[in-house]
Amino acid sequence: MLASNRVRSRPRPPIRSLGWWSHGVLIALDVEPSLVAAVRRVLPPGRAIAPPETPHRRFVVEHDASGFTLRRDGRRLQHGLARTDLLDALASAVQLTVATLAPDLLFVHAGVVAWRGRALVIPGRSTSGKSTLVAALVRAGATYYSDEYALFDASGRVHPFARPLRIRRARGVTRVDPQKLGAPVGRRPLPVALVLSCRYRAHVTARLAPLTPGQTVLALLRHTVAARTRPIDALDRLSMVAKRARALYGVRGEARSMAERLLAELT
Amino acid sequence: MKPQARTDLLLRDLDGEAVVYDFSRNEAHCLNATALAVFRRADGTIDIAELARRVSADLGTAVDEELVWMALAELDKAHLLSTPLPRKRGVDLGRRRVLKKMALTAALSVAIPAVWSIVAPTPAYAATAVMCTPANNCPMGNPMDLCCGSMGVPAGACSNGLCAAAPPGSFCAGKTCQ
């Protein structure tokens, strides 16, 4: 009881307000000053701005004896978080907000690399092995665009979303600057040459079959963040991609051999 | 029987096939050329025999009534017809039987009607950023919340406040999934 009272009477740390602009979405964040540098590192590509009075979404981080609490527009998203989990949760929540609300670009959950001026798009959910394949492609010489989202503009070209690469290791996920792997990072939008919809399976030889343009649209749409909120726009953009790009689906084995095969396909 | 395709759908043509979006069900469907031809001609004013004649003309090859029924069954299964097909039609719509018949009678000059479907994802489902929830913090009543796996990534769905499908030994923030 005494401990509980002590917790309640502990003074709240001061809060610092931040503003962040990313792909046309205004985000406000209220966090402790000690978290500011770490929070900025996990935010999606964009730039710091003055705290907006009317942001699209406001995130608030509170801290008490049970850990960190994350709120979005007043609604509690998670609580009792350790610092590392808070940063992961905040990164995810802000990224999802940007992906949902970005007015000019369509966010599809996918890895993207470029090879000789054209893009390879690998749609897939988390843990589908996308990041591993993107890392292998980058090590094989491809230009890094994203391991999380393919951003399609109105003409069907794909834009970079170049956050550090997620590399899974036995003890968890680490983020690696692609330039440390010796990879160039893409800056300009590119037409899509190939869409690869595949699942990883250990110790198998890759088996891939072509997709028709209509099936390609479905393969992309099932990973499109705004599929329900902007279906017309999504179908228009993805149809443009599907008409111009080849598409393959199936299972793949180890990332390295798959990366070599894919780059050969694109050559 | 004069089948009628729904008209409250978004349709995008793609090199002979089409993608259809159903706003009311949040589903998307890919119709191959044969299914699309039947879908376009099924306007509720013509019977199956006439439908077969018109689809044959559209595709430039003979399409019999059984194939039209098969296409209608595919469209019906995807909820793309205004009125569901009657259950007993006296026609076997089994794909195997149709394929067998076609294999026996002639080489396939027309694609077997096919409709591929997906449910359009919610934003959270589509994104990487599905937040995973520590096992003892799994909220009630929101099936989109996912429990954390051993690497801090989603590894199971919350069900009635428990991390139901998380693999044994999964943990997040030092808390083992239940």
Side-chain angles (χ1 to χ4, degrees):
Chain A
M1 191 63 167
L2 281 174
S4 164
N5 285 341
R6 274 204 300 276
V7 168
R8 281 193 197 124
S9 63
R10 199 169 74 166
R12 285 190 160 203
I15 293 295
R16 175 143 173 228
S17 291
L18 306 174
W20 193 256
W21 181 96
S22 180
H23 299 95
V25 182
L26 295 172
I27 303 290
L29 302 109
D30 295 342
V31 299
E32 290 176 14
S34 64
L35 284 172
V36 169
V39 163
R40 281 200 170 135
R41 277 197 296 274
V42 301
L43 292 175
R47 65 170 190 270
I49 54 169
E53 284 184 15
T54 52
H56 290 99
R57 293 285 183 272
R58 178 178 295 280
F59 292 88
V60 176
V61 175
E62 295 164 350
H63 191 193
D64 62 20
S66 66
F68 290 97
T69 297
L70 176 62
R71 294 181 187 278
R72 184 186 60 212
D73 293 342
R75 179 178 167 245
R76 191 175 79 178
L77 297 177
Q78 294 206 51
H79 71 105
L81 297 169
R83 191 174 190 273
T84 312
D85 293 327
L86 165 76
L87 293 172
D88 284 346
L90 181 65
S92 294
V94 174
Q95 220 163 258
L96 180 58
T97 296
V98 171
T100 307
L101 301 179
D104 300 324
L105 294 166
L106 184 75
F107 280 59
V108 176
H109 190 205
V112 184
V113 298
W115 183 250
R116 299 189 176 176
R118 296 185 305 160
L120 162 62
V121 175
I122 309 161
R125 279 182 60 70
S126 236
T127 72
S128 64
K130 254 180 8 277
S131 295
T132 308
L133 185 53
V134 166
L137 285 157
V138 161
R139 286 192 184 102
T143 299
Y144 179 64
Y145 266 64
S146 174
D147 72 343
E148 296 197 4
Y149 288 113
L151 278 51
F152 292 104
D153 65 21
S155 63
R157 292 177 307 169
V158 66
H159 292 239
F161 188 80
R163 295 202 56 207
L165 258 164
R166 287 162 64 97
I167 308 273
R168 281 182 217 287
R169 300 209 164 101
R171 293 194 173 191
V173 178
T174 57
R175 288 202 167 267
V176 178
D177 183 343
Q179 287 172 330
K180 283 187 181 166
L181 300 176
V185 176
R187 305 272 175 228
R188 64 191 176 90
L190 292 178
V192 178
L194 183 64
V195 175
L196 175 70
S197 175
C198 69
R199 287 173 291 119
Y200 167 69
R201 200 173 292 165
H203 315 302
V204 301
T205 306
R207 292 192 304 275
L208 300 174
L211 287 173
T212 67
Q215 292 167 334
T216 306
V217 171
L218 295 194
L220 291 166
L221 189 69
R222 74 186 315 161
H223 300 290
T224 298
V225 178
R228 290 192 182 201
T229 52
R230 291 160 51 195
I232 299 173
D233 184 34
L235 245 56
D236 285 343
R237 294 182 192 214
L238 299 181
S239 296
M240 253 185 283
V241 174
K243 279 178 182 172
R244 296 173 194 157
R246 284 195 304 137
L248 299 169
Y249 82 102
V251 293
R252 71 165 176 87
E254 298 315 308
R256 191 173 161 187
S257 56
M258 190 70 211
E260 287 165 2
R261 176 173 167 184
L262 289 171
L263 295 185
E265 291 254 0
L266 289 173
T267 300
Chain B
M1 172 72 193
K2 294 178 177 175
Q4 184 171 12
R6 283 174 57 190
T7 54
D8 57 338
L9 305 161
L10 171 70
L11 189 143
R12 288 289 178 270
D13 281 300
L14 280 158
D15 301 335
E17 55 182 6
V19 174
V20 169
Y21 190 87
D22 181 343
F23 296 95
S24 61
R25 300 178 66 90
N26 283 311
E27 291 175 348
H29 311 276
C30 171
L31 280 57
N32 76 352
T34 311
L36 178 61
V38 174
F39 179 81
R40 285 194 193 285
R41 287 293 184 182
D43 59 4
T45 65
I46 54 176
D47 61 16
I48 302 297
E50 181 60 20
L51 195 51
R53 274 191 289 279
R54 294 191 187 182
V55 168
S56 298
D58 292 343
L59 295 176
T61 187
V63 171
D64 70 6
E65 290 184 31
E66 198 153 12
L67 202 71
V68 170
W69 276 114
M70 192 175 171
L72 290 170
E74 291 285 313
L75 296 170
D76 188 33
K77 199 167 69 181
H79 306 280
L80 298 178
L81 299 179
S82 291
T83 310
L85 292 179
R87 285 199 178 268
K88 289 185 179 178
R89 291 176 301 274
V91 178
D92 184 349
L93 300 179
R95 179 178 289 253
R96 292 178 76 182
R97 178 173 163 176
V98 174
L99 286 171
K100 190 175 173 185
K101 180 189 170 193
M102 295 183 81
L104 288 172
T105 53
L108 291 177
S109 56
V110 60
I112 298 295
V115 178
W116 297 272
S117 305
I118 63 161
V119 176
T122 61
Y125 191 82
T128 252
V130 180
M131 284 188 290
C132 53
T133 306
N136 61 354
N137 195 18
C138 180
M140 301 287 281
N142 186 353
M144 290 313 297
D145 279 289
L146 294 174
C147 301
C148 290
S150 57
M151 291 185 181
V153 296
C158 283
S159 175
N160 295 322
L162 297 175
C163 286
S170 296
F171 70 93
C172 187
K175 297 160 186 166
T176 306
C177 287
Q178 297 167 45

